[in-house]
Amino acid sequence: MRLMPPLAAVVLASGLAACVNHPPLVERASYVDKVDVSVRPTVNSTTLAEVVRQRMRGQAGRFGRTGAPKDIQVAVTNLHYKDPALSLLIGDANHIAAHVSVRDAQSGKSHGEFDVTAMDNAAINGVIGAAMAATQDKAEVDRALANGLARNVLERVYGTDVSKQVFAQPYAEPVETAPAAAPAAVPAAPKAAPAKPKEPKTAMVEAPGAR
């Protein structure tokens, strides 16, 4: 029997998972109150945890802020950047994997745990794919994978049917702006020199007998 390359197996598994209609883990009248993200030491990115946290909160905001608060913990277990050699030979893709747990923020009750993945740039391989892998911006890849991971996590949390309705609505990514610079200090006006006291005028008195 011919063995399937590991990556091809991952792509096939992801395709099958995309066809699954996930039931919701939480009640619809709920919102994501807190997101904690951790990464394993083997994950080769120093900024990924914060990027995933920002994307999770941004995408979760699309579901509203009413109802029961929920806490989500995301542990990133794997991060793979598209490899030029694999892209040329058998095909490769950027992908990320995480283990997620969902709890009620007030009672601490667990709503469940699950594993989730996301992929980016899986379609283009060969010479063009190898060139793309060699020149890709890893920071941009992190943002794309984090966004895909956030959407997949929320689909499992709220269920496929609700998520499809929410994600079908127009959405603008929040613009990250740098902190405003403090206004430049206005130099103080130079102090005027103190006025020189005027000398008192004295009347010239003619001495007696001077005439």
Side-chain angles (χ1 to χ4, degrees):
M1 180 177 68
R2 182 184 176 187
L3 295 177
M4 182 182 295
L7 180 65
V10 172
V11 174
L12 178 58
S14 299
L16 292 176
C19 299
V20 177
N21 192 307
H22 297 288
L25 293 179
V26 301
E27 59 273 25
R28 180 63 184 94
S30 61
Y31 68 96
V32 176
D33 181 56
K34 183 179 178 183
V35 178
D36 289 324
V37 181
S38 62
V39 297
R40 285 187 177 175
T42 54
V43 173
N44 186 25
S45 176
T46 58
T47 61
L48 185 66
E50 180 60 20
V51 173
V52 171
R53 190 189 70 82
Q54 290 179 358
R55 297 292 163 143
M56 276 293 307
R57 292 197 63 84
Q59 293 287 355
R62 304 176 68 173
F63 291 81
R65 294 283 300 176
T66 59
K70 307 298 177 184
D71 293 345
I72 297 180
Q73 293 183 331
V74 181
V76 178
T77 56
N78 181 264
L79 172 67
H80 173 77
Y81 294 116
K82 187 176 175 74
D83 182 81
L86 289 177
S87 298
L88 182 63
L89 296 175
I90 62 173
D92 198 10
N94 301 310
H95 57 86
I96 188 172
H99 182 76
V100 180
S101 62
V102 184
R103 295 184 179 276
D104 184 84
Q106 295 178 336
S107 67
K109 175 186 175 182
S110 173
H111 289 291
E113 301 183 12
F114 55 88
D115 294 317
V116 65
T117 62
M119 283 193 178
D120 175 55
N121 201 19
I124 303 177
N125 291 300
V127 176
I128 296 177
M132 292 176 62
T135 59
Q136 66 182 352
D137 182 348
K138 289 185 177 180
E140 189 65 31
V141 171
D142 285 356
R143 287 190 287 270
L145 288 176
N147 203 55
L149 186 72
R151 291 172 64 101
N152 291 346
V153 168
L154 293 166
E155 180 184 349
R156 297 292 300 273
V157 172
Y158 288 102
T160 301
D161 293 339
V162 171
S163 299
K164 282 183 177 180
Q165 296 175 12
V166 172
F167 291 140
Q169 302 300 316
Y171 174 68
E173 290 285 348
V175 178
E176 298 177 6
T177 56
V186 178
K191 293 183 179 180
K196 186 177 181 180
K198 295 182 180 181
E199 296 182 0
K201 293 182 179 181
T202 56
M204 295 298 294
V205 180
E206 190 175 355
R211 293 179 180 177

